Amino acid sequence: MTLPDTKSREPKQARSRQSFEKTIEAALALLQERGSDEFTLADVSGLSGVSIGSIYARFQSKDELIRVAHGRKMDDIDAVSNHLFESLSISPDPGLESVAQAAVDRTIEVLRRYADILRPFMLRATQDETISSRGAASHAVLAKNFSDVLNQWPEGFLHETDVDWSFNVVYSVVARRLGLGSTMEGSGNFDWPQIAEKLAGMVASYLLAGNQHSARP
């Protein structure tokens, strides 16, 4: 499925572009505040100061506005994710658990930073194929960043399927704790440093076992 081209919708004139940005910002603010898409274009108009007529001139419906806002926010999240992972400084001879800790820490940081806006989008994704597809693309960006960090471990080959499995487990635990697509549970009474440490230890143990198994004659 082709993802929506949000840039092609942006008006060229400065005043129209300003109204366009205010409308998107208001939609995102309402999604984050209410935790769902339970608002109207009148609510968007009231918060943004952009008239209903101007909103309809740019967006055919609330659904289209939310999809454009979602694409914009996913672009932002992808950019931040890339920056956070690329700025990592791995020691010259790191242990696998140290590398796993760095990957887990950055994954948690991204998801915690954007949890309030990801919650309503994930709820909507269950019924909106456009948002589901764009969300999956952003998920893939985070997964690749996680994988790229782990593959900096210099002492052995890590199977791609094992790394993918590790990311999915980490993502699932963190997402459940943050209430992304579910209730906030699944991590007991642990605080975030403890969760990060336990996840990194689990990832390192799992990957090391797989590495040793594949190295056997």
Side-chain angles (χ1 to χ4, degrees):
M1 179 177 181
T2 302
L3 298 176
D5 181 6
T6 59
K7 292 186 181 301
S8 67
R9 303 176 188 274
E10 297 181 13
K12 305 300 181 183
Q13 296 182 347
R15 181 176 297 180
S16 296
R17 189 164 60 248
Q18 186 178 42
S19 295
F20 180 84
E21 296 296 336
K22 286 182 177 179
T23 302
I24 291 177
E25 289 170 5
L28 289 169
L30 287 166
L31 284 161
Q32 186 166 326
E33 174 191 325
R34 302 189 181 187
S36 72
D37 58 7
E38 295 298 321
F39 58 86
T40 66
L41 287 182
D43 294 326
V44 176
S45 175
L47 183 60
S48 66
V50 178
S51 70
I52 284 286
S54 295
I55 293 175
Y56 272 115
R58 183 54 54 184
F59 305 99
Q60 295 181 2
S61 63
K62 186 182 84 169
D63 288 342
E64 184 180 22
L65 169 58
I66 290 175
R67 288 168 186 151
V68 173
H70 175 260
R72 176 71 66 82
K73 181 53 67 173
M74 291 303 103
D75 288 345
D76 292 344
I77 293 174
D78 291 349
V80 169
S81 174
N82 289 336
H83 173 72
L84 287 174
F85 279 86
E86 288 168 0
S87 65
L88 272 173
S89 179
I90 304 296
S91 62
D93 188 23
L96 182 54
E97 187 161 350
S98 175
V99 177
Q101 190 71 66
V104 168
D105 286 346
R106 288 300 191 272
T107 300
I108 291 175
E109 183 173 355
V110 172
L111 294 177
R112 289 187 70 190
R113 183 179 298 193
Y114 294 103
D116 288 346
I117 192 62
L118 287 173
R119 288 190 198 102
F121 281 139
M122 285 187 173
L123 289 174
R124 188 178 176 89
T126 61
Q127 301 176 358
D128 190 317
E129 187 177 353
T130 299
I131 286 181
S132 177
S133 296
R134 180 62 187 86
S138 189
H139 182 274
V141 169
L142 187 57
K144 183 179 185 304
N145 285 331
F146 181 92
S147 175
D148 286 348
V149 170
L150 283 171
N151 284 318
Q152 293 183 49
W153 182 55
E155 297 181 28
F157 171 77
L158 300 177
H159 290 282
E160 183 179 352
T161 53
D162 289 344
V163 175
D164 288 345
W165 177 262
S166 298
F167 172 75
N168 287 330
V169 171
V170 170
Y171 186 95
S172 296
V173 170
V174 177
R176 190 168 181 82
R177 177 60 183 265
L178 291 170
L180 304 181
S182 67
T183 56
M184 293 185 189
E185 56 187 52
S187 299
N189 296 320
F190 299 123
D191 58 21
W192 282 110
Q194 290 175 307
I195 293 171
E197 182 180 358
K198 288 181 179 297
L199 285 173
M202 177 204 68
V203 169
S205 296
Y206 174 71
L207 293 176
L208 188 59
N211 178 266
Q212 291 174 339
H213 178 75
S214 63
R216 292 174 184 171

